[in-house]
Amino acid sequence: MREDTPQEELNYVGKGTERVDTTEKLTGKAKYTGDLRMPGMLHAAVKRSPHARAKINNIDTSDAEAIPGVHAVVTGKEFDYKLGLYLVDKDVLARERVRHHGEAVAAVAAESPGLAEQAVKKIDVDYEVEEPVLDALEAIEDDDKLVHPELDDYDYFEPAFSPQPGTNVANHTKIRKGDVEQGFEEADHVIEREYTNPNVQHVPMETHVAVASWKEQDELDVHTSCQSPFTVRNLLCVAFDLPHTNVHVEVPYVGGGFGGKAGIGVEPLAACLSKKANGRPVKLEASREEEFSLLPCRSGLTYRIKSGVTEDGDLVAQKMTMFWDSGAYADYAVNVTRASAYSASGPYEIPNAHVDAYTIYTNKPYGTAYRGFGHVEFSWGLERHMDLLAETIDMDPLEFRKQNALKPGSITITGEKIVENTGNVTKCMEVAAEAINYGELTPEEKKRQEETGMKIAKSVSALHKAPAMPSFTATAAELRMNEDGSINADLSLTEYGQGTYTALTQIIAEELGFPPERINLSIKGDTDKAPYDWQTVASKGLLMSGNACIKAARDLLEKAYQDASEVLRADPCDLDHNENEIYIKHHPEESVTFSELAVGYAYPTGEGIGGPIIGVGRYMAQGLTNLDKETGQGEPALDWTYGSHGVVVEVNEITGEFNILKVASAFDVGKAINPANIRGQVIGGLIQGLGTTICEGYAYDDEGHLLNPSFTDNKIPTSMDVPEEIEGIVIETPQIDGPYGARGVGEHPMIALCGAIGNAIYYAAGADLTHMPIRSEDVWWALHKDEDRDRPRYSIC
Amino acid sequence: MQNLKEFERPQSLDEAVEKISAKPGRRLLAGGTGLSITDSKTTIGLVDLKSVGLDYIEDDSDAIKIGATAVMRALEESSLLQNYAGGLLADVAAEVGTTPLRNMITAGGNITQLRVWSDLPAPLLALDAEILVTDQEGETTYPAQKFFHRHPSQLLDDTDIVTEIQLPRGIENYSSSYTKFVAVDDSYAVTSVSVVLDMEGDTVKDVRIGVGSASPSPARCPEAEEELVDAELNESLAEKVGEICRANVNTTDNVWGSGDYKSKLIEKLVKKNLLQAKTS
């Protein structure tokens, strides 16, 4: 939409406008769910399982209930329903069995957090501990040790997913294009290898928190730190069998989500506790430790890739098998599996492709959406693999990528035809390569090598990602004009740090021709007041809500023009407007102000016409279809955002230490609505990607206990760890159905970074890495593979 | 600490000794970072050392004296320590945790708890520090080697109070070098190496090497030190000494590193820090 508008005709779009939430956040005025204090509010605490897999024989809550000030104690027995968005597999509290270390088995609401904690300690749970199934590759084979023996009874979203009852497979997605076996025969070389990734925690600054009040007549009010208020409302209504008019979800400022708050989290338990406490509000706020094992993480992945390549550098066939370790529950993980399956080849054209992607239950903390939605994980293996293939045929890896890159006319593995306006991944690679002086060391880099004794190397990776969402995903925006001609706007995309609200404000301002200061886009989410949005995920917010805002602005102007045409006795086609008034084009002195029209126009005689000026815009994802369950063919992608990372890395060949000297990343965003915000997203995403690359991941013992369950042992990078230089580069190939040609770029900066760094380390020191994260020690072990020693089990796996 | 019922804040060391000895089930509170991750059912009372006047860092004729409740931030910013043996202890303190943690973690707590993230013990070994402990019977002085020989909890009773660290006179002008090898900046050490060195020309007059976080207790490397004394310190000797240290420190696995890797790090970090101390 409006993708052809030249920049010189734009007043607000394309500018680095200051974020709309700057002052509130910097002054501390912004209120988050955790800041809420309500009259009579109780505090919740959760009893968690110390075992990865056990039967619950009995839970004795009598001592906890006897403590004065404890108002509610609940156990799983009280809830005979499950929750889920795509696959309804999760209990509010574990019922007959626990399926992962840290799972909630009981909960308490009491008058203070300390009292609630004390009561939780008095709950006595009698477990019958069982041997857990921890390895996804074993779990897929093991039909005796089922994590969900009742899988056959679960509801699921049938058009998109295929659970396999009687196994630990929660979903199997298949993609088939061409004839992969024939392709291997045509290939000069066939290379197969396996790449692995651990579970990773999202670590939003604000942990999961909700305050629920179950009032009289089953009216349920929930304030929550979530990404998707309407999903929370809908799932609460389904679980509790309540009409949608009874459930009211409000979302104040949110301190980060990264996918971990995409679905439903602590809200149902807070609601149940409030109900049992006779409607007193209950706050359930996860501790940082609870974020690591009570709440979901990123699924682990083992990715097996078998590729056929010709001497000339053509990728002719690729068989891709993904084993997604979703942990104990797979509600959101099934969709990660599906999305990664249809993107599994990366931004490359594969004539003969074969993907099997499995979501596998194990007895580990469960997986959910995480920035990148599977693409960070599979791109690790894929981008390492691309370099391995290039090396096999003695070709420069960048040239090999460019030769096989998707370009206009290419057909993706699901049969989608790439066109000019899809975007330009080749250009992304070229500019990223140029920005790091790919292919040579600068004199400064050579000097640095001599001074430090470390080896410097460079590499370039490529990436793509489309929003992963139902084919019929929709959103809406509503604009209401105030008496002074300013605009109050509402939509239900959640602003949890991305900056989208600033970009949307710019889009509304551009479309109306009003300055952005006159637009007040309410940051607070409220399902009673704001129009529907499916979820705030998938890097789809800017495109979809942007289009809804454009349509709402047009609708609002149409109403204003209608009323103005009566006042000015002119056809709307003869009218135009500036910031303040609508006027007749041929007689600009004949005009009526927006302020006069805003809530209904009054003639001097007192008679009124029109009424409050309101604009509504709806937007439905365009052209998406279900994928065929046997072949995976169909249209899964609203838009593809392409990107590329160029990295410069130095490695100490003796200790395996490495430093990332520079990252230059280019993304084809279609149109940069707010270049400053994009830079913010790029830097933030790169640093998060850096965490995934250098240090993050869960480690377990043989019984499935998390060995690094807190910040003490499970670290993320800080500002002290960032690369010496970060360069973000924007490419603008307009998206025809994007607002002003824009696409999302929220997730993309962290995709394929790890592969680029892994490849550069390989070129610098020869360390051939197949497991993420890469810590200095991993480089060291990779350099000593030939020494025939077993790596101790404490490593992140 | 669900059974905690009493909180005492004595105003003098004598009162602290009296309070901690008065009843079983009492524990000392210094910075609180160690206690915050402890879930002890047997702790019924805390004796807070905040007001007993042990937060000093002072110059004395026989030693530099660091009170047990002096926090890492104070050590880091102390000009006395910055100018003592190449500023080793100030440098070490500056790399402990993050600034908010450094404002909490006390010198006494760091050495008494002796956890994997305790950074002071290894450099204190290298500095030949002494640790003063007080109980109802009076004061006892332990050389660092004895204090850290096994976990201090095996040496100390529950009623003992670590009161002071003393840094000896005579090594003020030694040079030093320190590396804390970490995965990310605010993480604790996979392995740390401290070197304290006195040279005359290219010849080593005195040297101490301390290794931290690689094994349950911090280690000195006397075999390596003997090899160095009166020898000419050059790259090949530094390398050889690194290998000696590697062979003499028993490393263990933890989440942040395998014993094998830590051994390799010891070898390389000892070499690096010897050469750095020589030129600093």
Side-chain angles (χ1 to χ4, degrees), chain A residues 285-296:
Chain A
E285 185 165 22
S287 66
R288 183 58 66 187
E289 288 71 22
E290 285 172 331
E291 288 288 306
F292 280 94
S293 59
L294 172 70
L295 287 150

PDB file of all heavy atoms in Angstrom, chain A residues 285-296:
ATOM      1  N   GLU A 285       3.607 -13.201  40.074  1.00  0.00           N
ATOM      2  CA  GLU A 285       4.774 -12.603  39.424  1.00  0.00           C
ATOM      3  C   GLU A 285       5.911 -13.609  39.476  1.00  0.00           C
ATOM      4  O   GLU A 285       6.359 -14.005  40.549  1.00  0.00           O
ATOM      5  CB  GLU A 285       5.164 -11.309  40.163  1.00  0.00           C
ATOM      6  CG  GLU A 285       6.287 -10.548  39.513  1.00  0.00           C
ATOM      7  CD  GLU A 285       6.403  -9.111  40.043  1.00  0.00           C
ATOM      8  OE1 GLU A 285       5.923  -8.850  41.169  1.00  0.00           O
ATOM      9  OE2 GLU A 285       6.955  -8.276  39.322  1.00  0.00           O
ATOM     10  N   ALA A 286       6.364 -14.020  38.300  1.00  0.00           N
ATOM     11  CA  ALA A 286       7.415 -15.040  38.251  1.00  0.00           C
ATOM     12  C   ALA A 286       8.740 -14.455  38.713  1.00  0.00           C
ATOM     13  O   ALA A 286       9.074 -13.319  38.381  1.00  0.00           O
ATOM     14  CB  ALA A 286       7.559 -15.568  36.832  1.00  0.00           C
ATOM     15  N   SER A 287       9.479 -15.237  39.482  1.00  0.00           N
ATOM     16  CA  SER A 287      10.843 -14.847  39.827  1.00  0.00           C
ATOM     17  C   SER A 287      11.715 -15.119  38.605  1.00  0.00           C
ATOM     18  O   SER A 287      11.294 -15.792  37.662  1.00  0.00           O
ATOM     19  CB  SER A 287      11.346 -15.669  41.016  1.00  0.00           C
ATOM     20  OG  SER A 287      11.456 -17.029  40.628  1.00  0.00           O
ATOM     21  N   ARG A 288      12.935 -14.611  38.648  1.00  0.00           N
ATOM     22  CA  ARG A 288      13.832 -14.868  37.509  1.00  0.00           C
ATOM     23  C   ARG A 288      14.088 -16.370  37.374  1.00  0.00           C
ATOM     24  O   ARG A 288      14.133 -16.905  36.272  1.00  0.00           O
ATOM     25  CB  ARG A 288      15.146 -14.093  37.714  1.00  0.00           C
ATOM     26  CG  ARG A 288      16.121 -14.204  36.583  1.00  0.00           C
ATOM     27  CD  ARG A 288      15.554 -13.737  35.261  1.00  0.00           C
ATOM     28  NE  ARG A 288      15.249 -12.319  35.225  1.00  0.00           N
ATOM     29  CZ  ARG A 288      14.614 -11.714  34.208  1.00  0.00           C
ATOM     30  NH1 ARG A 288      14.224 -12.405  33.149  1.00  0.00           N
ATOM     31  NH2 ARG A 288      14.353 -10.424  34.245  1.00  0.00           N
ATOM     32  N   GLU A 289      14.216 -17.054  38.499  1.00  0.00           N
ATOM     33  CA  GLU A 289      14.448 -18.497  38.447  1.00  0.00           C
ATOM     34  C   GLU A 289      13.248 -19.197  37.818  1.00  0.00           C
ATOM     35  O   GLU A 289      13.395 -20.169  37.082  1.00  0.00           O
ATOM     36  CB  GLU A 289      14.710 -19.047  39.859  1.00  0.00           C
ATOM     37  CG  GLU A 289      16.062 -18.657  40.443  1.00  0.00           C
ATOM     38  CD  GLU A 289      16.153 -17.180  40.821  1.00  0.00           C
ATOM     39  OE1 GLU A 289      15.102 -16.535  41.028  1.00  0.00           O
ATOM     40  OE2 GLU A 289      17.277 -16.660  40.866  1.00  0.00           O
ATOM     41  N   GLU A 290      12.037 -18.704  38.114  1.00  0.00           N
ATOM     42  CA  GLU A 290      10.841 -19.315  37.522  1.00  0.00           C
ATOM     43  C   GLU A 290      10.777 -19.085  36.018  1.00  0.00           C
ATOM     44  O   GLU A 290      10.223 -19.895  35.281  1.00  0.00           O
ATOM     45  CB  GLU A 290       9.584 -18.786  38.230  1.00  0.00           C
ATOM     46  CG  GLU A 290       9.419 -19.417  39.605  1.00  0.00           C
ATOM     47  CD  GLU A 290       8.308 -18.802  40.456  1.00  0.00           C
ATOM     48  OE1 GLU A 290       8.011 -17.602  40.282  1.00  0.00           O
ATOM     49  OE2 GLU A 290       7.757 -19.512  41.295  1.00  0.00           O
ATOM     50  N   GLU A 291      11.350 -17.977  35.568  1.00  0.00           N
ATOM     51  CA  GLU A 291      11.400 -17.758  34.113  1.00  0.00           C
ATOM     52  C   GLU A 291      12.153 -18.905  33.427  1.00  0.00           C
ATOM     53  O   GLU A 291      11.829 -19.298  32.322  1.00  0.00           O
ATOM     54  CB  GLU A 291      12.115 -16.439  33.788  1.00  0.00           C
ATOM     55  CG  GLU A 291      11.328 -15.201  34.120  1.00  0.00           C
ATOM     56  CD  GLU A 291      10.164 -14.960  33.180  1.00  0.00           C
ATOM     57  OE1 GLU A 291      10.362 -14.914  31.954  1.00  0.00           O
ATOM     58  OE2 GLU A 291       9.023 -14.819  33.673  1.00  0.00           O
ATOM     59  N   PHE A 292      13.167 -19.418  34.101  1.00  0.00           N
ATOM     60  CA  PHE A 292      14.015 -20.423  33.466  1.00  0.00           C
ATOM     61  C   PHE A 292      13.363 -21.809  33.383  1.00  0.00           C
ATOM     62  O   PHE A 292      13.655 -22.562  32.470  1.00  0.00           O
ATOM     63  CB  PHE A 292      15.367 -20.535  34.184  1.00  0.00           C
ATOM     64  CG  PHE A 292      16.338 -19.453  33.797  1.00  0.00           C
ATOM     65  CD1 PHE A 292      16.442 -18.287  34.534  1.00  0.00           C
ATOM     66  CD2 PHE A 292      17.125 -19.580  32.666  1.00  0.00           C
ATOM     67  CE1 PHE A 292      17.324 -17.278  34.171  1.00  0.00           C
ATOM     68  CE2 PHE A 292      18.011 -18.582  32.292  1.00  0.00           C
ATOM     69  CZ  PHE A 292      18.109 -17.416  33.046  1.00  0.00           C
ATOM     70  N   SER A 293      12.502 -22.161  34.350  1.00  0.00           N
ATOM     71  CA  SER A 293      12.005 -23.538  34.293  1.00  0.00           C
ATOM     72  C   SER A 293      10.503 -23.688  34.509  1.00  0.00           C
ATOM     73  O   SER A 293       9.923 -24.674  34.078  1.00  0.00           O
ATOM     74  CB  SER A 293      12.758 -24.411  35.296  1.00  0.00           C
ATOM     75  OG  SER A 293      12.604 -23.899  36.594  1.00  0.00           O
ATOM     76  N   LEU A 294       9.827 -22.722  35.144  1.00  0.00           N
ATOM     77  CA  LEU A 294       8.364 -22.803  35.252  1.00  0.00           C
ATOM     78  C   LEU A 294       7.749 -22.338  33.929  1.00  0.00           C
ATOM     79  O   LEU A 294       6.785 -22.916  33.433  1.00  0.00           O
ATOM     80  CB  LEU A 294       7.878 -21.898  36.400  1.00  0.00           C
ATOM     81  CG  LEU A 294       6.375 -21.720  36.542  1.00  0.00           C
ATOM     82  CD1 LEU A 294       5.728 -23.001  37.034  1.00  0.00           C
ATOM     83  CD2 LEU A 294       6.036 -20.573  37.495  1.00  0.00           C
ATOM     84  N   LEU A 295       8.331 -21.304  33.379  1.00  0.00           N
ATOM     85  CA  LEU A 295       7.814 -20.708  32.143  1.00  0.00           C
ATOM     86  C   LEU A 295       8.609 -21.229  30.944  1.00  0.00           C
ATOM     87  O   LEU A 295       9.678 -21.794  31.099  1.00  0.00           O
ATOM     88  CB  LEU A 295       7.853 -19.186  32.283  1.00  0.00           C
ATOM     89  CG  LEU A 295       6.736 -18.762  33.255  1.00  0.00           C
ATOM     90  CD1 LEU A 295       7.052 -17.520  34.019  1.00  0.00           C
ATOM     91  CD2 LEU A 295       5.408 -18.646  32.519  1.00  0.00           C
ATOM     92  N   PRO A 296       8.070 -21.025  29.755  1.00  0.00           N
ATOM     93  CA  PRO A 296       8.689 -21.704  28.606  1.00  0.00           C
ATOM     94  C   PRO A 296      10.007 -21.086  28.148  1.00  0.00           C
ATOM     95  O   PRO A 296      10.327 -19.949  28.488  1.00  0.00           O
ATOM     96  CB  PRO A 296       7.628 -21.578  27.511  1.00  0.00           C
ATOM     97  CG  PRO A 296       6.788 -20.424  27.905  1.00  0.00           C
ATOM     98  CD  PRO A 296       6.812 -20.362  29.402  1.00  0.00           C
TER      99      PRO A 296
END
